[in-house]
Amino acid sequence: MLQVAIVGSGPSGVYTAQSLLQQDRVPEVRIDVLDRLPCPYGLVRYGVAPDHEKIKSLQNNLRTVLADDRVRFLGGLDVGSGPLATERLRELYDAVVYCVGAATDRRLGIPGEELAGSYSATEFVSWYSAHPDTSENGFLSGARSAVVIGVGNVAVDVARILARGADELRVTDMPQSALDVLARSQVRDIHMVGRRGPSQAKFSTKELRELGSLPDAEVVVDLAELALDPAWADPASLPGANRRNLEVLRGWADPAPQEPGAARGPTRRTGRTRRIHLRFFLRPVEIVGAAGRVTAVRFERTAPDDQGQVRGTGQYEDLDAQLVLRSVGYRGLPLEGLPFDAARGTVPHQAGRVLRDGVVSPGEYVAGWIKRGPTGVIGTNRPCAKETVNSLLEDAPGLVRQERGEDPLRVLRAAGLRPVEWSGWQAIERAEAELGAGQGRGSVKIPDWDGLLQAARGTDDRP
Ligand SMILES: Cc1cc2nc3c(=O)[nH]c(=O)nc-3n(C[C@H](O)[C@H](O)[C@H](O)COP(=O)(O)OP(=O)(O)OC[C@H]3O[C@@H](n4cnc5c(N)ncnc54)[C@H](O)[C@@H]3O)c2cc1C
């Protein structure tokens, strides 16, 4: 029997488990999936936007893996020290696969980042996603104008959530406390800003297009600014996704044919409550404040250079803002006891095998964002996990122990740990369904540790 610990129950952890269950090279596999949170699914639960129900429903696919008889979900176990030190896990299991994701945001490295009112998109996403480590930070207090720095899909997510009214979000699993804050929001202008041109923006066309269909928000673009992009006039040589992005932007920039003579320049479609301004060729140089709070973001206008990058022009523009959300990418964090490449924010590996000082460390593996960095969609984690599992299976003959020790779960319990098991997670799901029913809504997330653990352990009196 091959006994494997997977640390992290996000997509890469679950796809690792799935690959191990589907293989036929090792006759019997037992898998423990450990997570520091009492809830599984990683960023599918705590990152994917609540109004993207279809993507959220991927949890149903992940569930079938974790509910398999050969898998045990062990939530509430923060791996890295004490009885959960990496070397201890290596003693307890034949192999350990680290799938811990990339939990922190990248910094801009400009003055003013620490001012009140300036947050990473990670903090904002965690809050509306009810991550139990985050609480209401007064994100929206006094804010009328918000600047979102970055033009990737996460930037689009946070801009869209700001632009939706609380009524539109009631159908999601967002906690009532977050809905109440959004209902009181005075944010009317949301500026989403990229330092390069629209043809280089990272958002996907589907996410971009969705901004144009929000019931109570209009998209504002400036044709003159878009046209600074060398690819604007002739996008034929662009990859399909970038070309389609320009088509969507063009649709917003060009006056509709039925409006003969309509003015060019900044586009207003209707008199809706909120405006999403899409801005390009602006590089943030300072978050400006007064009395410790954000009042504006100063940008330097950039211009395309001949390397496909941009250069500063020495011209500056301030955008009024009481809320700044920085969305310029994610970064992995070192896990105590595991090697870490600080420059890349990943664990050094060879086809998923952890490298210690350049040498393969037997029985230790990585998959997902901590292996390849924070790129790709959920599905990208599947082939990534498969590669790791292939390496593990090749190594398996040298990993499987002849003498089976005590069940690792008993050892962990004897060390005083009290994991939230699958039944505990199911109890959380039931409690969230009841919470929602009480509010006349579908399932609603429990946003705090006490509430989650109480729900999980209500049915489990084990010491
Ligand atoms: C805000 C946001 C929105 C996104 N939206 C989409 C989308 O709409 N569509 C899409 O395709 N992709 C989306 N993605 C990308 C997608 O979420 C990632 O590709 C995917 O989650 C990465 O999987 P992972 O398993 O590597 O990491 P994660 O999903 O981050 O999972 C890591 C898990 O490890 C656990 N963990 C961390 N440290 C420890 C520890 N020390 N001990 C135990 N457990 C630990 C965490 O609690 C977590 O459950 C989004 C990403 C973000 C950040």
Side-chain angles (χ1 to χ4, degrees):
M1 179 175 77
L2 177 69
Q3 200 154 28
V4 181
I6 296 174
V7 182
S9 64
S12 64
V14 178
Y15 289 141
T16 299
Q18 188 175 42
S19 274
L20 281 166
L21 294 177
Q22 287 173 345
Q23 57 80 36
D24 51 14
R25 280 148 78 176
V26 176
E28 200 188 345
V29 183
R30 298 274 152 183
I31 303 164
D32 285 346
V33 179
L34 286 59
D35 203 292
R36 59 181 291 273
L37 297 175
C39 310
Y41 313 133
L43 284 169
V44 181
R45 179 172 161 96
Y46 288 118
V48 171
D51 57 338
H52 279 177
E53 277 106 1
K54 196 160 167 222
I55 304 172
K56 283 269 177 213
S57 71
L58 261 178
Q59 292 182 38
N60 296 330
N61 302 2
L62 304 181
R63 172 181 291 114
T64 58
V65 178
L66 294 183
D68 190 285
D69 285 346
R70 295 162 288 174
V71 178
R72 292 187 295 204
F73 172 70
L74 305 175
L77 298 182
D78 195 350
V79 169
S81 59
L84 291 166
T86 53
E87 60 270 32
R88 185 68 186 123
L89 284 189
R90 188 63 199 87
E91 287 163 9
L92 291 174
Y93 294 91
D94 297 324
V96 187
V97 188
Y98 292 92
C99 302
V100 291
T104 194
D105 59 297
R106 292 195 16 216
R107 312 286 296 172
L108 289 166
I110 60 171
E113 239 172 318
E114 309 305 330
L115 287 169
S118 157
Y119 306 94
S120 67
T122 321
E123 289 170 272
F124 189 64
V125 169
S126 293
W127 165 66
Y128 67 62
S129 302
H131 193 295
D133 286 348
T134 319
S135 53
E136 214 285 283
N137 261 339
F139 289 108
L140 303 184
S141 61
R144 298 173 314 283
S145 173
V147 167
V148 179
I149 300 176
V151 284
N153 279 339
V154 175
V156 179
D157 281 348
V158 297
R160 193 181 64 251
I161 295 294
L162 285 171
R164 279 198 191 279
D167 283 348
E168 291 171 51
L169 295 166
R170 255 184 79 76
V171 292
T172 72
D173 59 6
M174 208 184 255
Q176 190 59 42
S177 51
L179 280 184
D180 291 343
V181 170
L182 288 165
R184 291 193 298 271
S185 169
Q186 292 300 310
V187 174
R188 294 291 175 266
D189 289 281
I190 302 139
H191 306 264
M192 201 174 107
V193 189
R195 70 194 161 90
R196 301 196 289 173
S199 70
Q200 290 163 309
K202 293 270 193 321
F203 40 59
S204 57
T205 310
K206 190 160 173 264
E207 293 250 350
L208 177 65
R209 198 176 278 129
E210 191 181 0
L211 293 179
S213 62
L214 301 181
D216 200 19
E218 58 188 328
V219 179
V220 183
V221 292
D222 181 347
L223 180 59
E225 188 172 77
L226 296 172
L228 293 173
D229 195 308
W232 182 256
D234 181 13
S237 60
L238 290 176
N242 307 59
R243 203 174 52 242
R244 286 190 289 277
N245 285 346
L246 290 196
E247 278 162 22
V248 174
L249 291 166
R250 207 180 295 282
W252 289 329
D254 284 338
Q258 64 269 30
E259 298 172 44
R264 295 221 154 203
T267 308
R268 295 267 154 101
R269 287 190 297 125
T270 57
R272 300 182 189 185
T273 309
R274 301 178 193 88
R275 289 164 296 277
I276 303 171
H277 308 258
L278 300 182
R279 301 294 311 272
F280 299 94
F281 294 114
L282 291 172
R283 170 161 69 201
V285 292
E286 184 182 350
I287 299 180
V288 182
R293 280 204 74 84
V294 169
T295 55
V297 185
R298 180 156 303 146
F299 292 90
E300 181 180 19
R301 177 153 290 288
T302 62
D305 65 12
D306 49 15
Q307 313 285 314
Q309 298 297 320
V310 288
R311 56 175 172 78
T313 62
Q315 291 172 333
Y316 295 88
E317 178 174 342
D318 283 6
L319 288 180
D320 200 30
Q322 298 76 41
L323 170 67
V324 176
L325 297 175
R326 309 175 310 261
S327 180
V328 290
Y330 282 73
R331 258 188 79 72
L333 284 173
L335 182 73
E336 204 180 322
L338 262 198
F340 189 66
D341 177 342
R344 298 187 64 232
T346 54
V347 172
H349 73 96
Q350 196 177 69
R353 296 179 178 95
V354 170
L355 295 175
R356 290 184 183 270
D357 298 322
V359 178
V360 167
S361 172
E364 290 185 307
Y365 302 85
V366 277
W369 274 14
I370 196 62
K371 171 184 170 189
R372 57 172 211 282
T375 57
V377 292
I378 292 167
T380 319
N381 297 292
R382 193 195 282 269
C384 173
K386 204 167 167 43
E387 179 195 57
T388 297
V389 168
N390 279 340
S391 297
L392 195 162
L393 293 172
E394 271 172 31
D395 302 344
L399 297 174
V400 176
R401 291 154 217 220
Q402 300 313 315
E403 293 280 308
R404 184 81 9 230
E406 205 176 341
D407 177 1
L409 180 52
R410 296 185 102 197
V411 177
L412 296 178
R413 283 214 192 98
L417 297 168
R418 216 179 146 198
V420 172
E421 295 181 51
W422 191 246
S423 56
W425 160 242
Q426 288 177 310
I428 292 175
E429 282 189 306
R430 282 195 299 277
E432 293 191 333
E434 275 168 31
L435 180 65
Q439 296 168 9
R441 301 170 56 196
S443 208
V444 168
K445 278 183 184 165
I446 298 172
D448 59 286
W449 277 98
D450 283 352
L452 288 168
L453 292 178
Q454 230 167 51
R457 297 201 166 126
T459 55
D460 166 16
D461 294 320
R462 231 183 340 243

